[in-house]
Structures are given as C-alpha cells and as structure tokens.
Amino acid sequence: MPNTGKTDEKNLIGKKLKFLRKQNRLSQQKLAVKLQLAGMDIGKNTITRIETNQRSVTDMELKALVEVFQVTYEYFLDGLLEK
C-alpha cells in the first residue's frame, strides 16, 4: 500500500464531495436520493462517512458522483473543474 503520509484517510474525495454538495445546496439525504435514482444503493450515513474520510469510495460510486454533479473524475481526484 503506498504511503501518502496520511494514514487515517480512506479516500481522496471527501472534502471535494462535501464542497460540491453544499455548493449545490443538497443535504446528505437529498444527495443520497439522487445517487439512489442513479442506481447506487447509498444512504445518508455512507455520505457522512465518505465526507469525513472514514470510508473508501468504489469506482461505481465515483462514477455516479461524477454523473450527479456533472464534473470530471479529475475534479474529484485532482481538483480540476473542467469537463
């Protein structure tokens, strides 16, 4: 496992997810509903755990988030907003 210097972190997207969710004026519950409509079985508690870096994100979840927020994978991974 590569050493990123931050041993407690479970994902790279937590802060960006929280920023996008708030920017789009979505509660965690409303985001969970949008993700469920996109085919992901994900609830509010899971979003909380992702945003607080307590849970990893699957590739399928990342794909659904990219589609819901209309951003690129690079935005979530590197912080780029261009599509």
Side-chain angles (χ1 to χ4, degrees), residues 39-62:
M40 293 305 312
D41 185 20
I42 193 167
K44 176 198 170 295
N45 291 338
T46 301
I47 293 169
T48 299
R49 292 183 64 220
I50 292 169
E51 288 183 355
T52 58
N53 248 317
Q54 297 174 3
R55 182 185 180 278
S56 298
V57 179
T58 69
D59 54 354
M60 297 301 290
E61 291 166 342
L62 181 58

Side-chain angles (χ1 to χ4, degrees), residues 11 13-28 31 47-48 50-53 65 69 75-76:
N11 67 62
I13 73 161
K15 289 178 184 176
K16 292 175 188 128
L17 174 58
K18 185 173 183 177
F19 172 80
L20 276 178
R21 181 178 59 76
K22 289 186 173 209
Q23 186 179 45
N24 285 273
R25 296 185 174 137
L26 292 172
S27 66
Q28 290 175 332
L31 176 56
I47 293 169
T48 299
I50 292 169
E51 288 183 355
T52 58
N53 248 317
L65 289 166
F69 287 111
Y75 170 75
F76 275 116

